[in-house]
Amino acid sequence: MKMPPSYKIALLFNASKAYDRQIISGVAAYLRTTRTTWNVFLEEDFYCRPERMAQWQGDGIIADFDDPAIREALADSPLKVVGVGGSYANPADYPTSVPYVATDNGGLIEMAYNRLVEVGLPRFALFSLPQGPGKRWATERENAYLSLMERDMLTPEIYRGHNTSSDRWDDAVEHLTVWLQSLPKPIGIIAVTDARARQLLQACLLAGISVPEEVALVGIDDDPLSRLLTRIPLTSVIQGSEQMGGTAAHMLSQMLHGARLGGTRVVVPPAGININATCQHLPAPHPRVMRARHFIRQYACLGIKAEQVADYVGVSRSSLEKHFREEVGCTVHDEILRFKLRAATAILASEPGNIAQVALSCGFTSVQYMHTVFKRELGCTPRHYQDRAFAEGPPAPVNSNAHYLI
């Protein structure tokens, strides 16, 4: 049997970023599900010195066209090239000489905005990036936000902050905190990336601003590392990055077989939104309840007790319990347990692992106690919950037009 030809293909992306990794994963998925035979090169040297690509003896390239240096270096390449990057409101801004696959910047912002609207927030802000080369995608997201504010006759609020660096980190956080404190509350903030959202969350925690009661946050990228590195799980819009990678690979395969795609353009919509605690906003309860829930949300899995919550709020336990019964309809202990249970179900549904380790990491005093709580609240054991979750497969992306309760 005649074997299909093999091609040398370079993927010019920064594999340290979640978005880029997902695009590469999409290319890999395309290769696994077709008879395409490629020798794939992930050369960081290419990325750092794109001018060397003119001498590369390969057959094709899929590249990050959000990087101006990459885009310029490949403008006149004799190789087959597919560009990947952000969408543009102005069609004239798209490359005309190569096929191009774009993430829908306007769609990403609108999905985040819709979520904040759904939970009843009256005001909205955007945490962006300082303008500069390679950040045109952030500007496009700003423009999409401004269009939504104009459409809905709302006052826009954009903060670009500072480029993050070790020597300016404290200043950047201080300025961000001042901005957050100046905003009317409650407010929903869209961050142009999960990295920016994580900075927002850290600044809120340092300033004692309750998330999500006072500030609800939505990021973009659905980066698993961002969720692991935040005490309050981050809500994030899921880019269609893997679909982008697969589409780009399909285009390049067609070109290698003689297709002339020229300035073909494909804009990929967001895949959904992963809703977590930073955007599960409720109308603000009593200030003491809000402060208590802010503390519980951060430290429930460390095994805190109701007395510690009352100490943090600065009232007696009996007084705090009274406020909880009136505002939330449960005890402080019940609220702590609710967050422990939510954390445990999230781990069990996403990671195979030792049940005892899950109990320990979620603040349960013993496996037996976690077993009792699961049986009482969910009608099954932790093991049965985990087995059922893996049998059903990963949850589908959330539709931003649906309505959710905490």
Side-chain angles (χ1 to χ4, degrees):
M1 182 177 68
K2 184 178 179 180
M3 297 298 292
S6 180
Y7 298 100
K8 292 170 63 178
I9 306 299
L11 306 181
L12 304 189
F13 295 92
N14 184 349
S16 66
K17 297 179 179 179
Y19 164 77
D20 294 47
R21 290 195 304 271
Q22 290 163 5
I23 290 172
I24 294 170
S25 295
V27 174
Y30 175 82
L31 296 179
R32 286 196 305 270
T33 56
T34 65
R35 296 187 62 199
T36 305
T37 306
W38 289 355
N39 291 318
V40 177
F41 294 82
L42 293 173
E43 294 287 351
E44 288 299 318
D45 187 51
F46 291 163
Y47 191 87
C48 298
R49 300 177 180 84
E51 67 277 2
R52 293 191 179 184
M53 290 307 298
Q55 288 78 46
W56 186 60
Q57 300 300 307
D59 299 297
I61 300 171
I62 301 174
D64 175 14
F65 268 41
D66 280 333
D67 186 319
I70 293 282
R71 185 167 175 166
E72 182 179 352
L74 298 179
D76 300 315
S77 174
L79 304 178
K80 310 295 184 184
V81 176
V82 177
V84 176
S87 65
Y88 298 98
N90 183 358
D93 291 328
Y94 285 98
T96 57
S97 59
V98 301
Y100 185 79
V101 182
T103 186
D104 186 354
N105 284 318
L108 295 170
I109 294 297
E110 186 165 11
M111 184 168 281
Y113 173 65
N114 286 344
R115 172 59 193 172
L116 294 170
V117 169
E118 287 165 7
V119 296
L121 288 157
R123 290 171 288 270
F124 310 93
L126 182 78
F127 184 30
S128 187
L129 286 165
Q131 294 180 329
K135 297 175 183 175
R136 178 65 186 275
W137 56 269
T139 302
E140 291 290 325
R141 293 178 189 181
E142 286 184 27
N143 292 337
Y145 162 79
L146 289 171
S147 295
L148 291 169
M149 295 299 99
E150 182 179 4
R151 183 197 71 185
D152 293 348
M153 295 181 289
L154 296 169
T155 302
E157 175 72 48
I158 296 177
Y159 181 70
R160 296 193 180 102
H162 302 274
N163 287 316
T164 52
S165 61
S166 58
D167 58 329
R168 297 194 63 190
W169 179 258
D170 290 340
D171 287 342
V173 172
E174 182 179 348
H175 284 91
L176 178 57
T177 301
V178 169
W179 177 66
L180 285 167
Q181 291 172 331
S182 73
L183 296 173
K185 312 294 189 305
I187 192 168
I189 304 180
I190 303 168
V192 293
T193 64
D194 280 352
R196 265 337 213 188
R198 190 161 58 85
Q199 292 170 37
L200 272 174
L201 183 53
Q202 290 172 340
C204 284
L205 298 181
L206 288 171
I209 297 171
S210 296
V211 178
E213 288 85 358
E214 293 180 278
V215 172
L217 305 177
V218 180
I220 295 172
D221 281 334
D222 196 36
D223 182 1
L225 277 179
S226 290
R227 290 198 299 275
L228 291 172
L229 292 172
T230 54
R231 293 203 296 266
I232 302 176
L234 180 65
T235 294
S236 185
V237 178
I238 306 166
Q239 299 199 61
S241 310
E242 291 199 8
Q243 183 182 345
M244 292 167 65
T247 301
H250 178 63
M251 283 181 161
L252 182 56
S253 181
Q254 289 180 304
M255 295 169 70
L256 292 169
H257 289 87
R260 296 179 179 274
L261 300 184
T264 302
R265 182 193 317 151
V266 176
V267 178
V268 177
I273 183 167
N274 189 353
I275 295 175
N276 283 302
T278 62
C279 193
Q280 291 174 327
H281 177 77
L282 282 178
H286 191 284
R288 288 173 178 169
V289 174
M290 182 172 65
R291 185 166 171 79
R293 294 180 77 183
H294 180 62
F295 184 76
I296 292 168
R297 192 174 288 112
Q298 296 178 69
Y299 300 109
C301 292
L302 297 183
I304 58 171
K305 306 295 184 184
E307 291 81 0
Q308 292 170 281
V309 181
D311 287 343
Y312 175 79
V313 176
V315 297
S316 67
R317 178 176 174 179
S318 60
S319 176
L320 186 60
E321 293 286 7
K322 178 177 180 292
H323 290 308
F324 259 78
R325 285 192 297 271
E326 292 174 350
E327 298 284 337
V328 188
C330 70
T331 67
V332 177
H333 173 75
D334 291 337
E335 187 77 353
I336 295 171
L337 194 60
R338 186 169 71 94
F339 278 93
K340 289 180 181 180
L341 186 62
R342 178 182 292 168
T345 55
I347 295 173
L348 291 170
S350 61
E351 303 174 15
N354 186 286
I355 299 297
Q357 184 60 44
V358 174
L360 178 65
S361 65
C362 294
F364 289 95
T365 53
S366 68
V367 177
Q368 291 76 16
Y369 181 47
M370 186 170 79
H371 186 283
T372 299
V373 172
F374 265 73
K375 288 287 288 184
R376 184 182 70 221
E377 301 296 330
L378 302 177
C380 65
T381 67
R383 179 65 68 191
H384 286 158
Y385 184 92
Q386 185 179 57
D387 292 343
R388 185 173 61 197
F390 276 86
E392 293 173 353
V398 173
N399 184 324
S400 69
N401 293 321
H403 293 269
Y404 299 88
L405 298 175
I406 293 183

